[in-house]
């Protein structure tokens, strides 16, 4: 019981500090569904109660936003806008810009290593141990989908 409460608190506080933490429960369900040894977690009420409890941390944020015209959505909607009059060169530059920036931040060697390890982990899924599958579930999809989504916006 204590572990589920700690999980709830960590996810709840995490969500308050970064809304991307809302992806954590989705990835946990994905991990459990894809991993035979972890599937019994899906039958544990503690997991589901932890996730629901963590979402309750968002109620004050949602209430405040509702009272203030959903200002957070207004503030973040520029992340989803694209240039309407962009030419082919603009799209090509935007397509390359994000991975190139990431490679610069991580260093090209580290970035290529992360790319290679995450692709290999997904490719070799059945050969991975439980811990490696957990790590791959929480890193590779985020790495690939965020990079792909960012590049697709171009």
């Amino acid at each position: 019981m204590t572990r589920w409460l700690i999980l709830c608190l960590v996810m709840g506080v995490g969500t308050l500090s970064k809304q991307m933490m809302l992806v954590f429960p989705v990835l946990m369900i994905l991990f459990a569904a894809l991993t035979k040894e972890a599937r019994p977690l899906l039958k544990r009420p503690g997991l589901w109660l932890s996730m629901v409890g963590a979402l309750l941390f968002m109620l004050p944020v949602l209430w405040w936003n509702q009272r203030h015209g959903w200002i957070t959505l207004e503030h973040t909607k520029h992340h989803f806008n694209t240039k309407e009059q962009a030419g082919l060169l603009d799209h090509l530059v935007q397509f390359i810009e994000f991975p190139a920036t990431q490679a610069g931040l991580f260093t090209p060697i580290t970035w290529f290593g992360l790319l290679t390890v995450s692709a290999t982990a997904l490719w070799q899924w059945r050969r991975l141990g439980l811990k490696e599958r957990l790590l791959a579930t929480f890193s590779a999809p985020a790495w690939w989908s965020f990079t792909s989504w960012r590049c697709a916006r171009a």
Side-chain angles (χ1 to χ4, degrees):
M1 181 66 171
T2 303
R3 290 181 181 173
W4 296 120
L5 182 58
I6 291 170
L7 177 63
C8 176
L9 291 172
V10 167
M11 286 191 305
V13 171
T15 302
L16 290 175
S17 64
K18 188 70 175 169
Q19 292 173 355
M20 281 302 294
M21 187 70 172
L22 291 168
V23 176
F24 184 96
V26 175
L27 293 174
M28 188 62 214
I29 292 167
L30 179 68
F31 167 72
L34 293 175
T35 307
K36 185 177 182 179
E37 301 88 354
R39 263 186 223 130
L41 283 173
L42 295 173
K43 295 178 182 175
R44 304 282 304 264
L47 176 69
W48 301 103
L49 290 172
S50 295
M51 290 181 188
V52 170
L55 289 175
L56 294 176
F57 279 71
M58 289 299 293
L59 288 177
V61 175
L62 293 171
W63 179 73
W64 184 89
N65 270 284
Q66 188 272 331
R67 295 200 49 166
H68 293 89
W70 300 99
I71 191 99
T72 301
L73 294 177
E74 287 295 317
H75 172 72
T76 57
K77 77 177 180 182
H78 74 277
H79 294 296
F80 301 97
N81 292 338
T82 59
K83 296 179 183 177
E84 292 180 21
Q85 300 297 327
L88 181 60
L89 184 60
D90 291 328
H91 287 294
L92 183 60
V93 168
Q94 287 179 354
F95 183 78
I96 294 170
E97 182 180 88
F98 182 74
T101 302
Q102 293 300 305
L105 289 172
F106 287 118
T107 76
I109 295 169
T110 304
W111 183 82
F112 185 74
L114 287 169
L115 197 66
T116 303
V117 167
S118 66
T120 303
L122 293 176
W123 187 261
Q124 300 291 324
W125 180 262
R126 293 179 190 255
R127 295 183 185 165
L128 297 176
L130 187 63
K131 291 178 182 177
E132 290 82 12
R133 285 184 184 185
L134 180 66
L135 182 59
T137 302
F138 278 82
S139 59
W143 174 267
W144 286 92
S145 64
F146 187 70
T147 300
S148 299
W149 171 78
R150 178 71 178 172
C151 289
R153 279 188 52 213

